Amino acid sequence: MRQFQTKIKLTRYLNIYRKKSSIGLVPTMGALHSGHLALIKAAKEKCDIVVCSIFVNPMQFNNKEDFINYPNSINKDLEKLRTLNCDIVYTPKINDIYVQGEKVKEFNFGPLAENMEGKFRPGHFNGMATIVEKLFNIILPTQAFFGEKDLQQLQVVKALVQKMGSPIEIVSITTYREKNGLAKSSRNKRLSKKAKKKASIIYNCLNYCVQNKHKDIVNLKLYIQNTFKSQKSCKLEYAEIVNIENMVPINKWGAKNKNAICIAAHIEGVRLIDNIIL
Ligand code: AMP
């Protein structure tokens, strides 16, 4: 595996292969877990060369503390990537990505970015799209791989590619979970053992909706709100059932596999998100 810290060296290397090889990009913020590794495996299956980027992008954090506390385990990450035969890891320093004083780019993703994460993390999607667009322009991948775990992000990235008029194919993979249903997340590293157990409340609520799809959406949301109210130190931020095409909350079920139940919650102060498409 080759490691590059600058876009100049990375692009120089990739340019040799571009004409004959497909290039898969897996953008991450590090602290790699089995969800990330599944993305690398999917990319290895589809592409000749796989690039994993590891960059904790300050522009997508609306909360400074969340950025400062974001877990870092770069040596372990490199070891995991080596084991999977990932071809290239790109670990830029901030000044390889942003010029000093650079501002976040203002995209207009419309309703896609207005609810849920868009509402509760102002500026998050502009910050995320700013870095993803830069990575796309540096690496020029043929395919880029994203997790359904961040469903709204996935849909915004698809819209970004359209806006860019880019031929990059966006490939998504399903959500990887702990045994108790908790979605794998780098932020889980900040949960105590007890909090990890408590955090299964999120999956249990999602799963309740899967099992009770025949019920009214209003009633399902009420169930989730009440379940959280009864659990100390679990604070629900939102529970929405949305149309996955535009990520707008709905009151009536749409066609099969076109709806998603999405939850964001704070478990002992750690913010977690999860969803299930149904
Ligand atoms: P992050 O490092 O959190 O920015 O995530 C990098 C990529 O991994 C994103 O495309 C995420 O959607 C994906 N991802 C994160 N957690 C999971 C998971 N539990 N299962 C599948 N993909 C995931």
Side-chain angles (χ1 to χ4, degrees):
M1 182 173 75
R2 284 177 183 261
Q3 183 177 4
F4 294 96
Q5 289 195 309
T6 64
K7 56 178 175 258
I8 291 196
K9 287 189 177 157
L10 172 64
T11 48
R12 217 176 264 156
Y13 183 80
L14 284 175
N15 283 345
I16 306 170
Y17 297 96
R18 254 183 232 298
K19 268 197 187 143
K20 286 192 184 153
S21 312
S22 55
I23 298 174
L25 169 65
V26 180
T28 80
M29 298 204 295
L32 303 182
H33 51 68
S34 57
H36 295 119
L37 301 185
L39 284 166
I40 303 283
K41 284 181 200 157
K44 286 289 290 182
E45 267 174 32
K46 259 197 152 196
C47 305
D48 301 320
I49 296 179
V50 174
V51 183
C52 174
S53 63
I54 299 182
F55 179 65
V56 184
N57 173 36
M59 282 206 188
Q60 72 189 66
F61 286 81
N62 58 316
N63 179 330
K64 211 173 171 189
E65 227 171 87
D66 190 24
F67 174 63
I68 292 166
N69 291 327
Y70 201 82
N72 173 329
S73 55
I74 186 69
N75 291 330
K76 278 190 191 158
D77 291 353
L78 295 176
E79 206 40 59
K80 287 176 184 168
L81 292 174
R82 256 183 229 116
T83 309
L84 289 185
N85 278 327
C86 179
D87 302 285
I88 296 172
V89 60
Y90 175 44
T91 50
K93 296 260 172 352
I94 190 150
N95 59 6
D96 197 49
I97 297 288
Y98 297 116
V99 296
Q100 224 184 354
E102 185 172 343
K103 295 247 157 61
V104 68
K105 186 166 166 182
E106 296 286 332
F107 296 86
N108 182 1
F109 293 113
L112 257 190
E114 279 167 9
N115 298 290
M116 303 190 293
E117 296 303 283
K119 183 168 157 195
F120 286 93
R121 298 184 72 190
H124 168 66
F125 285 124
N126 281 330
M128 181 279 293
T130 300
I131 180 68
V132 171
E133 185 182 46
K134 280 175 186 276
L135 291 171
F136 283 175
N137 284 330
I138 294 168
I139 291 152
L140 298 173
T142 43
Q143 282 104 347
F145 295 77
F146 291 84
E148 282 172 9
K149 150 83 166 52
D150 301 282
L151 183 63
Q152 200 173 7
Q153 166 175 283
L154 171 66
Q155 303 301 59
V156 170
V157 168
K158 286 181 186 164
L160 171 69
V161 166
Q162 285 215 330
K163 262 186 198 289
M164 290 170 69
S166 158
I168 300 170
E169 181 195 353
I170 302 301
V171 183
S172 63
I173 68 152
T174 180
T175 301
Y176 279 64
R177 302 179 177 283
E178 308 271 0
K179 276 205 186 93
N180 70 355
L182 172 65
K184 297 264 182 179
S185 164
S186 304
R187 288 187 175 85
N188 293 356
K189 292 205 162 91
R190 292 172 49 205
L191 295 172
S192 67
K193 241 187 177 175
K194 212 168 131 198
K196 256 192 187 174
K197 264 193 186 166
K198 280 187 188 169
S200 62
I201 185 176
I202 300 175
Y203 179 71
N204 293 341
C205 285
L206 295 176
N207 206 26
Y208 180 86
C209 294
V210 176
Q211 305 299 330
N212 291 279
K213 213 193 142 181
H214 56 279
K215 292 192 178 160
D216 272 356
I217 286 177
V218 182
N219 290 336
L220 293 178
K221 281 164 69 168
L222 261 176
Y223 170 86
I224 296 172
Q225 284 157 12
N226 290 331
T227 305
F228 269 85
K229 269 184 203 149
S230 67
Q231 279 291 322
K232 252 192 173 173
S233 58
C234 298
K235 200 173 142 262
L236 182 67
E237 192 165 82
Y238 64 74
E240 295 289 4
I241 294 176
V242 297
N243 169 352
I244 64 166
E245 301 297 335
N246 58 13
M247 299 307 278
V248 171
I250 49 176
N251 299 320
K252 278 196 176 144
W253 293 104
K256 198 172 174 224
N257 293 329
K258 293 288 173 205
N259 321 274
I261 164 76
C262 305
I263 289 180
H266 296 257
I267 311 293
E268 289 187 353
V270 179
R271 186 176 189 277
L272 302 172
I273 63 169
D274 198 356
N275 71 83
I276 291 184
I277 295 173
L278 70 179

